[in-house]
Amino acid sequence: MTDTLVALRSLMSSHSPPLNALVVPSEDYHQSEYVSSRDKRREFISGFTGSAGLALITMNKALLWTDGRYFLQAAQQLSDQWKLMRIGEDPAVDVWMADNLPNDAAIGIDPWCVSIDTAQRWECAFAKKQQKLVQTSTNLVDEVWKNRPPPQINAVNVHALEFAGRSTTDKLDDLRERLTQEKARGIVITALDEVAWLFNIRGSDVSYCPVVHAFAIVTPTSAFFYVDQRKLSSEVSGYLKENGIEVREYGVVSADVSLLASNQLGPYAFKETQSHISGGADIGSREDAAESIKIEAEDGDSIDLIWADPGSCCYALYHKLDSDRVVLKQSPLALAKALKNPIELDGLRKAHIRDGAAVVQYLVWLDKQMQENYGASGYFVEGKTLAQKKKIRERKKLTEVTVSDKLESLRASKEHFKSLSFPTISSVGPNAAIIHYSPQPNTCAELDADCIYLFDSGAQYLDGTTDITRTVHFGRPSAHEKACYTAVLKGHIALGNARFPNGTNGNALDILARVPLWKDGLDYRHGTGHGIGSYLNVHEGPHMISFRPQARNVPMQASMAVTDEPGYYEDGKFGIRLENVLVVIEADTKFNFGDKGYLSFEHITWAPYQTKLINLSLLTPEEINWLNTYHSKCRDILAPYLDDAEMAWLKKATEPVRACAKNQGKLRLLSPCCLLHP
């Protein structure tokens, strides 16, 4: 790592102009959260493997910014050459650069890896000291990355209409209507999940995310798909042609954005070859095609804008456009993709049922293994671990990785399974306090019957993407652990049971999950919920439930899917998180103040909460009724997917619980009905 920083600083010194600092973000050319191996530049340069972070290298410092999910992990992974900067606690990167770099400093960026709004925000911060953002012509990290993984040629697949629910033609029609409303004659689409959703295609260019490295441009009359054409079979090529989508090579997008800006972009008159891409003959045919588009645009002289999403479009492509004629607004596809159609919603519900069955089968297996190999009292009983039950040489060793492999195998046996939706967070004891912990075979911990075990996992199925977290203990949890688990559960229930008027965003809802923790002076450093894709990214916007007032956030709307995942973490001891996926639905309220209409949530995740970890005296009668109703539904919904032994275990895991004596009188006055949306 030392040699890498030395080599990088040498390139910074020899750059024209010399660079005082170099920014290395986590994102790729599409501003993706999760990136392919060859795009993990920040991980390569810093050694920090989390999905979110930004590295800054100066001539004598190396700093890394990351959010609260990764504070512990980054502190463990960064060498002493690096300084950890905690987002929300330390100065933001632009503030730090403006305050600590000299006047007239040159700060280098790869403009392909930085979004429009990030670059513009930094430029504003630098202006007071005449510092400048310098766009490098090549990525300097790539030049020192000697063993950078090569690009992979992974097949593009058509996402069948039986799962997508809407045709590409219909989606293009809706998009073109939005272009007309914004007086735009084209849109540059850079987010990988938006390209995949719009064209109803999927791929495997990024692990765990069924997306394709591709760009798209859509105009009122044309649609262009920029991709490595070696990934396309004749069947996929035919599908794209039938839907009026012209395929062009991935690297041509920069030149075509320039053509779009000057109103020169049009379909090729005949099939393009690589020689044409390189600037050979047949320019005339392109100009002829563009002429008709230009005339059509002139018929409505105000339609002369280009739409680019400032959060997902890179600065490099933005610089190809006339900044005075750009609509800088969130892509209309972000919200369209988040509003699931009936087929997608049906698929999500079915996928989560199969996934819930896999989770129950996993818990059944793990409960048995912990008792047989570690002398644990088990999932149901609070007892001491029998340490000498088996001799060490006879014991089957269970690690965070080997048990998560078992969970993956159970999921893989389910219909429509394609892959995991993210690396499974399988964490024991202190590791569970690392919010996005990623166990590695050579360093992971062995399971311990006397410690909390947290697993956060999900899968990609053709009909939906899943994400679930459960926290369990196979021995005797402490009173403090039970109190913390109960507080997290109370917040989880409170958010899931919320009713709220249309127009409410996730920032307003976030507090509901935290109040039970706040009462005891506890909290957590991550958001409470994220959107989830339909056989797409497990983290999906634009909506979220978070304490951060994100400018890109939008109100909750019916047919959105979002997670409900509060938690609590004690460094070096344990971590607790509970997560279900919810669907936003219209609420049937007695009144309708202001004629706004009201919304609520429907749980679509089905797996038991460990009642052994709950301090029932801390639950209200309403919360106990909710828990019993949810568990009853778990039994009914999952029964067709479980064998007799698994079903017997689930029945025991979901037996109704009773309120403590002081609450039983109140409980008789309550009806268990309607506490869980069907």
Side-chain angles (χ1 to χ4, degrees), residues 165-181:
R166 295 195 69 212
S167 69
T168 296
T169 301
D170 287 345
K171 293 177 182 179
L172 284 169
D173 287 345
D174 288 350
L175 177 56
R176 287 172 173 138
E177 184 176 342
R178 289 298 310 277
L179 292 180
T180 300
Q181 293 170 0

Side-chain angles (χ1 to χ4, degrees), residues 276 286 609:
H276 301 152
R286 296 178 69 174
Y609 304 96

Side-chain angles (χ1 to χ4, degrees), residues 351 354-359 361-362 404-422 424 455-461 466-469:
R354 297 193 304 275
D355 201 68
V359 169
Q361 290 167 337
Y362 175 61
S404 67
D405 287 346
K406 176 65 176 181
L407 177 55
E408 180 176 359
S409 72
L410 291 167
R411 282 192 164 106
S413 68
K414 306 306 178 191
E415 184 181 20
H416 300 319
F417 175 86
K418 300 299 291 183
S419 73
L420 298 182
S421 54
F422 58 96
T424 297
F455 63 103
D456 183 346
S457 61
Q460 296 286 4
Y461 302 94
T466 67
D467 188 1
I468 176 176
T469 307

Side-chain angles (χ1 to χ4, degrees), residues 189-264:
I189 304 165
T190 57
L192 298 182
D193 60 338
E194 292 183 8
V195 175
W197 179 85
L198 177 64
F199 292 155
N200 283 345
I201 53 99
R202 299 292 189 270
S204 56
D205 286 350
V206 178
S207 297
Y208 311 105
C209 305
V211 295
V212 182
H213 280 139
F215 296 96
I217 294 176
V218 176
T219 73
T221 58
S222 300
F224 304 94
F225 179 43
Y226 299 87
V227 65
D228 187 330
Q229 296 188 40
R230 293 173 294 177
K231 300 176 181 179
L232 305 181
S233 66
S234 57
E235 177 186 359
V236 173
S237 295
Y239 160 82
L240 294 168
K241 184 176 181 181
E242 289 170 7
N243 283 277
I245 302 164
E246 182 173 328
V247 179
R248 298 188 176 180
E249 283 293 338
Y250 182 83
V252 177
V253 66
S254 181
D256 275 9
V257 170
S258 295
L259 291 172
L260 179 66
S262 60
N263 215 354
Q264 301 290 313

